[in-house]
């Protein structure tokens, strides 16, 4: 478990689909030397106890992230902007995963 | 009695393989690989437990999995010599796993049709595990063989050293023959060409040479073991032997 040696291994983000029909959810990350081993590592870390039916891994460096410094401009609270919220619709009974 | 002996061969092979894999915990080259090796070891332990319980059921009185795992001496163990070989480096462990998993996958596929219902049920549950073990080990085998000069050298050395222990996997003795004739197990000699073709294909892809080593004089499945197994068993058995019936 030396930490020095895996500095060269890129980081991958791991997404798991819990069951058919649901979204893939981000669950964490793994280090791996290539794509195939990243999938293998993700399987070992995140799906050993029936957590999922499908796995995605993607290089962390391939993710384009928003800049925390501009979070005000991007995500300012919109509670007072009632016209943005779909509050005038009622969700039909039996719809669980909306 | 012979059927018990036959089942013990698979049970002990899984048990000893498990112990070897779990010896990596705290020592593996990478955190992710440490988890992978421990997961393989846990799979093997689960297999060993079921098979030991089944083997113990043939005894009079019935022996428990712990009786068999913890209170037999080295000469009573029936594991393949291949799995008791010390871990060596990561390449050595991976090559040992490749040779074992290829065999176990073929064997368990055959045990699906065993006249022993417990064995057939066991094979159905655990065949996907050993298929994954093959996939895991062969992925690394390929990367080491076709990797750097050093990884290639280490993988080839491991292959050359371990090859002599693979003859036993397909050698049929009286116990195997009895199991075969009662429909409990397959004809091991028929597995050999299939196994060889898988391993040869992988070696070819990995730019490694298929060795031509002489068969070992050790025959683990008949109870002949090297001293390395003695140290493994001391590690495995010391606690339950010093504190009989200990639990948590």
């Amino acid at each position: 478990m030396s930490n020095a040696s895996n500095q060269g291994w890129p980081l991958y983000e791991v997404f798991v689909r819990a069951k058919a029909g649901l979204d893939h959810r981000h669950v964490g990350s793994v280090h791996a030397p290539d794509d195939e081993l990243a999938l293998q590592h993700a399987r070992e870390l995140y799906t050993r106890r029936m957590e999922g039916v499908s796995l995605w891994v993607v290089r962390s460096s391939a993710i384009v992230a928003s800049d925390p410094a501009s979070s005000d401009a991007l995500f300012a609270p919109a509670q007072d902007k009632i016209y943005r919220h779909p509050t005038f619709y009622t969700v039909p009974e039996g719809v669980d995963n909306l | 009695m012979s059927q018990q002996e036959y089942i013990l061969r698979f049970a002990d092979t899984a048990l000893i393989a498990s112990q070897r894999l779990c010896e990596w915990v705290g020592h593996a080259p990478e955190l992710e690989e440490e988890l992978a090796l421990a997961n393989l070891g846990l799979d093997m332990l689960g297999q060993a437990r079921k098979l030991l319980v089944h083997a113990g059921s043939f005894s009079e009185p019935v022996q428990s999995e712990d009786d068999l795992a913890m209170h037999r001496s080295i000469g009573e163990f029936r594991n393949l010599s291949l799995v008791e070989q010390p871990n060596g480096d990561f390449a050595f462990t991976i090559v040992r796993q490749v040779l074992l998993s290829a065999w176990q996958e073929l064997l368990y596929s055959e045990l699906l049709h065993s006249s022993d219902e417990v064995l057939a049920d066991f094979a159905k549950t655990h065949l996907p595990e050993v298929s994954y073990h093959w996939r895991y080990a062969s992925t690394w085998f390929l990367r080491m063989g076709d990797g750097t000069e050093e990884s290639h050298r280490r993988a080839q050395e491991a292959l050359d050293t371990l090859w002599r222990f693979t003859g036993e996997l397909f050698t049929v003795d009286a116990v195997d023959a009895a199991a075969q004739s009662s429909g409990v197990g397959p004809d091991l000699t028929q597995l050999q060409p299939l196994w060889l073709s898988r391993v040869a294909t992988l070696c070819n892809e990995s730019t490694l040479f298929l060795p031509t080593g002489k068969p070992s004089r050790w025959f683990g499945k008949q109870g002949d073991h090297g001293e390395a197994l003695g140290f493994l068993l001391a590690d495995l058995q010391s606690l339950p032997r010093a504190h009989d019936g200990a639990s948590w």
Side-chain angles (χ1 to χ4, degrees):
Chain A
M1 284 223 297
S2 67
N3 291 320
S5 60
N6 75 1
Q7 294 304 308
W9 282 11
L11 196 65
Y12 285 77
E13 300 301 322
V14 181
F15 300 81
V16 175
R17 163 182 275 167
K19 59 178 184 181
L22 294 189
D23 301 339
H24 285 77
R25 290 283 171 99
H26 184 237
V27 292
S29 54
V30 290
H31 284 100
D34 60 45
D35 294 354
E36 193 180 353
L37 280 165
L39 207 51
Q40 219 159 273
H41 288 161
R43 182 262 184 197
E44 297 291 351
L45 260 77
Y46 295 110
T47 65
R48 282 271 298 174
R49 293 171 192 85
M50 303 196 304
E51 292 92 337
V53 295
S54 167
L55 265 178
W56 286 350
V57 291
V58 60
R59 286 263 189 126
S60 306
S61 60
I63 290 178
V64 183
S66 63
D67 178 5
S70 41
S71 61
D72 265 359
L74 291 171
F75 312 117
Q79 273 149 1
D80 56 343
K81 300 168 187 165
I82 196 167
Y83 47 89
R84 287 194 184 178
H85 299 280
T87 52
F88 306 105
Y89 301 95
T90 48
V91 178
E93 248 178 74
V95 176
D96 296 328
N97 290 312
L98 195 65
Chain B
M1 197 59 204
S2 163
Q3 190 168 341
Q4 177 183 48
E5 176 100 5
Y6 185 70
I7 294 161
L8 271 179
R9 292 177 171 185
F10 306 145
D12 288 343
T13 294
L15 179 67
I16 302 305
S18 166
Q19 182 72 8
R20 281 287 182 234
L21 286 164
C22 291
E23 283 173 6
W24 273 106
V25 173
H27 306 281
E30 301 289 347
L31 178 62
E32 281 86 350
E33 290 311 323
E34 180 161 305
L35 275 155
L37 291 167
N39 282 343
L40 260 60
L42 270 178
D43 286 348
M44 284 289 155
L45 187 62
Q47 295 181 18
R49 292 187 58 183
K50 271 192 201 168
L51 291 170
L52 284 171
V53 167
H54 187 40
S57 72
F58 289 88
S59 294
E60 190 63 49
V62 167
Q63 288 178 287
S64 73
E65 50 184 315
D66 279 346
D67 291 338
L68 291 170
M70 303 303 180
H71 296 281
R72 278 180 301 157
S73 58
I74 182 167
E76 295 170 283
F77 273 80
R78 293 291 180 265
N79 57 281
L80 297 171
S81 295
L82 175 68
V83 297
E84 73 191 51
Q85 301 311 311
N87 284 337
D89 56 21
F90 185 63
F92 197 87
T93 295
I94 289 296
V95 171
R96 192 184 62 202
Q97 196 62 45
V98 157
L99 300 174
L100 175 67
S101 298
W103 181 76
Q104 279 182 324
E105 196 177 354
L106 290 167
L107 175 72
Y108 291 7
S109 304
E110 291 294 326
L111 290 179
L112 289 172
H113 317 295
S114 173
S115 62
D116 179 332
E117 280 178 27
V118 179
L119 265 190
D121 190 52
F122 164 86
K124 190 166 176 250
T125 306
H126 296 285
L127 181 57
E129 284 178 359
V130 293
S131 300
Y132 178 77
H133 297 176
W134 160 263
R135 189 183 146 150
Y136 164 83
S138 58
T139 304
W140 267 115
F141 190 94
L142 185 63
R143 279 157 179 72
M144 288 189 293
D146 196 17
T148 65
E149 202 175 305
E150 183 182 6
S151 71
H152 178 92
R153 175 180 58 76
R154 288 180 183 237
Q156 186 66 56
E157 278 173 12
L159 197 54
D160 293 343
T161 305
L162 287 166
W163 195 254
R164 74 194 66 167
F165 301 107
T166 60
E168 182 189 11
L169 278 55
F170 310 102
T171 307
V172 175
D173 64 7
V175 173
D176 296 313
Q180 190 191 331
S181 65
S182 59
V184 172
D187 180 357
L188 291 175
T189 56
Q190 296 212 336
L191 300 184
Q192 185 158 29
L194 300 169
W195 179 87
L196 196 60
S197 124
R198 292 186 77 174
V199 173
T201 304
L202 182 62
C203 280
N204 193 33
E205 286 173 19
S206 314
T207 71
L208 293 166
F209 292 106
L210 209 59
T212 50
K214 286 183 188 161
S216 163
R217 65 194 181 86
W218 300 112
F219 237 61
K221 67 180 180 181
Q222 294 177 346
D224 296 333
H225 299 288
E227 68 167 357
L229 184 64
F231 291 106
L232 181 151
L233 290 178
D235 211 18
L236 176 73
Q237 297 179 333
S238 62
L239 194 140
R241 289 202 180 203
H243 306 278
D244 202 16
S247 66
W248 65 66

